[in-house]
């Protein structure tokens, strides 16, 4: 009999909901803590900028047991995703498990001699401690804003200018009549410049440091999910620990693989006119594909063509007299500077002694299956396995994590096996897959299928592939099928 545990789930976004459901349905006593006033994480409405929408199509961005509504568009908007997450929480009665407006201040090993952690919690001006047998950290990679500043910012703001993080741009009316400079090259940056240009900004300038490969929703008229999310495409990338057969295939088909990626690059250059805008990356697309690969915001390149958006390669050097002065020497009129510079990756409530075991000196995370660290027992991460189908990734790792915590994996790893695997994966990320260094290497893309295969094998699934071999090889991950695969794993209940 598996012992029933008291489990803390930190975070109420995509990953926290998946973790709460996974541990609750196995019979554990779950306590969820969300520092905001609502579920949703990055999709919580006060954190979402106008016109935000998913990078992934709705049939990839979903839980296995709840499709998105039929009337949602192919790429749902932020409020629709937020409503979807609420419907998932309602379906599984997850609200009863969570305390909102509750912040985790710190966590430390229990002092009573039992396995687990003690959390220091804070809500409504009060703080208290609470012991847990296991902690699932589900705050993901977009929890704390990356705040930067530039010389002259105080004087710029004192004179009436404004500087904000991209997550603070929540009202389109903010743009009207203003000269706007957006710093960054991510999808959030391009979403905001398009929104500002459409909502009466006097001028809009996109300032980006380095060009990156961008993928439009339709590549040559074909939905990109039918081109980039296949096993057949995934197998062309340089994965970890290739088998002898995979090495032979890579050698035999190397010219075809090279031609495939060069053809894709040529198509993107032509379709998006990347040379015209000085946006051709220096890195081959097969080396650059990871979770940081942005999808093209509709209207972006049209804005370049029409002159409503001006792209400049460089960065902000300083502010002066209602202007942003760039490292290029350009002096750009600026009333509002929006910094789309991302989020800080970290676990701020973990003490330094634990962080040193988790994070290497170069920022890489020591995590087995992107979920657990053998030197930090009784805890794990849901959401560190970020991907192009993030909700499915979170659900898969949540189901793996509860079995790991209960010792119920068919392939329960030893501490030695985990350490060896972590070292192997770090070596691969550093030498063979530099794109995997993004976000501390916490990204399973573009290896969705392989990552899921490993998790399902660990869980003892009797099925991990669809019966139709063509669909399995040449189609994108199917959430309904993965629900069936999860159902084929050994079932149990704690008590």
């Amino acid at each position: 009999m598996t012992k029933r545990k008291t489990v803390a789930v930190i975070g109420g976004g995509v990953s926290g909901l998946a973790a709460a459901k996974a541990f609750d349905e196995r019979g554990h006593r779950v306590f969820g803590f969300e520092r905001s006033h609502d579920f949703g994480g990055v999709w919580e409405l006060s954190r979402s900028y106008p016109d935000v929408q998913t990078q992934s199509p709705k049939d990839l961005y979903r839980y296995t047991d709840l499709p998105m509504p039929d009337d949602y568009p192919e790429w749902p908007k932020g409020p629709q995703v937020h409503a979807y997450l609420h419907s998932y929480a309602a379906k599984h009665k997850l609200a009863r498990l969570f305390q909102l407006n509750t912040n985790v201040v710190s966590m430390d090993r229990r002092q009573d001699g039992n396995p687990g952690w003690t959390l220091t919690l804070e809500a409504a001006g009060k703080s208290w401690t609470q012991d847990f047998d296991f902690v699932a950290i589900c705050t993901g990679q977009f929890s704390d804003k990356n705040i930067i500043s530039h010389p002259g910012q105080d004087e710029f703001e004192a004179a009436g200018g404004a500087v904000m993080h991209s997550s603070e741009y929540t009202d389109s009316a903010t743009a009207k009549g203003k000269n706007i400079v957006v710093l960054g090259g991510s999808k959030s940056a391009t979403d905001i410049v398009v929104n500002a240009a459409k909502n009466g900004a006097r001028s809009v300038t996109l300032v980006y440091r380095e060009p990156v490969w961008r993928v439009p929703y339709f590549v040559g008229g074909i939905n990109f999910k039918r081109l980039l999310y296949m096993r057949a495409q995934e197998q062309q990338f340089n994965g970890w620990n290739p088998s002898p057969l995979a090495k032979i295939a890579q050698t035999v088909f190397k010219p075809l693989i090279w031609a495939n990626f060069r053809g894709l690059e040529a198509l993107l250059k032509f379709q998006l006119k990347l040379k015209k805008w000085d946006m051709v990356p220096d890195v081959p697309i097969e080396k650059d594909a990871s979770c940081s690969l942005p999808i093209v915001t509709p209207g972006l390149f049209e804005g370049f063509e029409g002159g409503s958006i001006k792209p400049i390669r460089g960065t902000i050097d300083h502010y002066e007299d209602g202007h942003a002065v760039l490292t290029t020497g350009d002096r750009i009129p600026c009333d509002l500077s929006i910094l789309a510079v991302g989020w800080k990756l970290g676990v701020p409530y973990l003490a330094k002694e634990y962080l040193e075991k988790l994070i290497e000196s170069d920022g890489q995370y020591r995590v087995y299956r992107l979920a657990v660290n053998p030197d930090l027992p009784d805890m794990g991460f849901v959401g560190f396995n970020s991907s192009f189908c993030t909700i499915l990734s979170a659900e898969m790792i949540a189901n793996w994590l509860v079995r790991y915590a209960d010792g119920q994996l068919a392939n329960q790893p030893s501490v030695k096996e985990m350490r060896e695997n972590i070292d192997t994966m770090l070596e691969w990320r550093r030498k063979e897959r530099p794109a995997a260094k993004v976000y501390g290497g916490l990204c399973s893309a573009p290896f969705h299928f392989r990552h899921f295969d490993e998790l399902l094998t660990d869980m003892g699934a009797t099925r991990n592939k669809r019966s139709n071999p063509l669909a399995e090889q040449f189609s994108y991950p199917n959430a309904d099928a993965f629900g069936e695969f999860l159902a084929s794993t050994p079932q149990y209940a704690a008590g």
Side-chain angles (χ1 to χ4, degrees), residues 473-487:
Q473 191 71 6
F474 297 102
S475 185
Y476 48 86
N478 181 282
D480 291 324
F482 277 98
E484 295 174 5
F485 303 158
L486 284 172

Side-chain angles (χ1 to χ4, degrees), residues 55 185-188 190 212-216 288 290-297 388:
Q55 294 211 82
S186 65
K187 184 175 180 292
S188 61
T190 59
V212 296
W213 288 108
R214 301 173 189 276
V215 179
D288 205 28
S290 74
C291 292
S292 61
L293 185 72
I295 303 302
V296 175
T297 303
F388 299 145

Side-chain angles (χ1 to χ4, degrees), residues 102-145:
T102 303
N103 190 45
V104 178
V105 179
S106 64
M107 59 183 288
D108 207 337
R109 295 297 285 168
R110 287 171 62 157
Q111 298 300 306
D112 59 8
N114 292 316
W117 297 81
T118 299
L119 299 191
T120 301
L121 302 158
E122 189 176 67
K126 298 180 180 179
S127 64
W128 70 98
T129 60
Q130 195 167 341
D131 292 336
F132 296 94
D133 301 315
F134 194 88
V135 177
I137 296 176
C138 310
T139 45
Q141 302 175 1
F142 305 101
S143 181
D144 294 305
K145 302 170 190 172

Side-chain angles (χ1 to χ4, degrees), residues 125 235 255 306 346 467:
Q235 290 163 352
S467 56

Side-chain angles (χ1 to χ4, degrees), residues 2-3 5 7 23 28 133-136 372 377-380 397-409 412-413 492:
T2 300
K3 181 182 176 182
K5 296 179 178 64
V7 178
F23 278 90
H28 297 295
D133 301 315
F134 194 88
V135 177
V372 293
D378 312 311
M379 65 176 284
I397 206 70
N399 279 275
W400 183 94
L401 185 62
V402 66
R403 288 167 173 79
Y404 169 86
D406 290 337
Q408 291 289 332
L409 289 174
Q412 191 78 20
Y492 70 96

